[in-house]
Amino acid sequence: MATENKNLSNYDKATIPNAKDFRFGIVVSEWNDTITEGLYKGALEALKDCGALDKHITRWNVPGSYELIYGCKKMQHQNVDVVIAIGSVIQGETKHFDFVCDGVTQGIKDLNVISDVPVIFCVLTDNNMQQSIDRSGGKHGNKGTEAAIAAIKMAQLRKDSNGLGMRIGY
């Protein structure tokens, strides 16, 4: 297990750009809201800890994780530097889990390919509720915190690469 004995909430603030000038969009699934609210809390705390301003953070809710794709696509057009997609899909008795996980993963990947505004994947795809609890503020820390740090770094990458154009040749 990738997160075994690893707390996802640990980061070295000295290695992270100051987030005060970046605008963040956060799209949160209402399904499994105990988990997604924990992820949101971790993301919000990390963003603020790294300098993000309340007025530069926009949150939208969508009904479920599958709807994150549409919500993130629309959020990319809201004058933000980066979007964080927060969701939780927990294995059930049917193949629905597989279809939702695959669709959300591919959909968010597609948004990253077609848009200049990065979308950070903070969607837990766990086998059971305990695994989700452990990763949304439990014994493994908070995946939302990790997503926020990734968002800051990607916003900085976007800023740094803006206007550089494509390099042709070798």
Side-chain angles (χ1 to χ4, degrees), residues 29-71:
S29 168
E30 294 172 339
W31 193 259
N32 292 327
D33 65 332
T34 303
I35 303 305
T36 59
E37 287 303 317
L39 294 168
Y40 173 75
K41 181 180 177 188
L44 186 63
E45 288 174 359
L47 290 174
K48 288 182 177 184
D49 183 49
C50 293
L53 305 176
D54 284 327
K55 67 181 181 178
H56 291 169
I57 302 170
T58 301
R59 175 187 170 152
W60 288 354
N61 289 350
V62 295
S65 289
Y66 202 82
E67 290 77 26
L68 286 169
I69 303 161
Y70 182 80

Side-chain angles (χ1 to χ4, degrees), residues 142-164:
N142 196 313
K143 188 75 173 169
T145 303
E146 184 179 303
I149 300 307
I152 294 167
K153 290 179 177 182
M154 292 303 290
Q156 184 67 52
L157 175 67
R158 180 176 182 254
K159 178 183 174 188
D160 292 347
S161 65
N162 203 10
L164 293 180

Side-chain angles (χ1 to χ4, degrees), residues 41-151:
K41 181 180 177 188
L44 186 63
E45 288 174 359
L47 290 174
K48 288 182 177 184
D49 183 49
C50 293
L53 305 176
D54 284 327
K55 67 181 181 178
H56 291 169
I57 302 170
T58 301
R59 175 187 170 152
W60 288 354
N61 289 350
V62 295
S65 289
Y66 202 82
E67 290 77 26
L68 286 169
I69 303 161
Y70 182 80
C72 290
K73 177 177 83 168
K74 291 301 189 182
M75 182 67 83
Q76 287 177 314
H77 301 285
Q78 298 301 309
N79 193 29
V80 296
D81 296 297
V82 63
V83 177
I84 302 171
I86 295 178
S88 171
V89 186
I90 300 172
Q91 177 71 59
E93 296 176 2
T94 68
K95 293 186 67 66
H96 182 75
F97 173 85
D98 298 324
F99 298 126
V100 172
C101 292
D102 185 54
V104 173
T105 302
Q106 295 305 318
I108 291 175
K109 180 266 301 173
D110 290 346
L111 293 176
N112 279 303
V113 170
I114 63 175
S115 176
D116 183 50
V117 178
V119 179
I120 306 304
F121 187 85
C122 183
V123 180
L124 298 182
T125 56
D126 295 314
N127 292 320
N128 56 60
M129 180 62 81
Q130 188 60 52
Q131 287 179 343
S132 294
I133 292 168
D134 291 345
R135 289 158 182 78
S136 61
K139 72 180 183 179
H140 293 304
N142 196 313
K143 188 75 173 169
T145 303
E146 184 179 303
I149 300 307

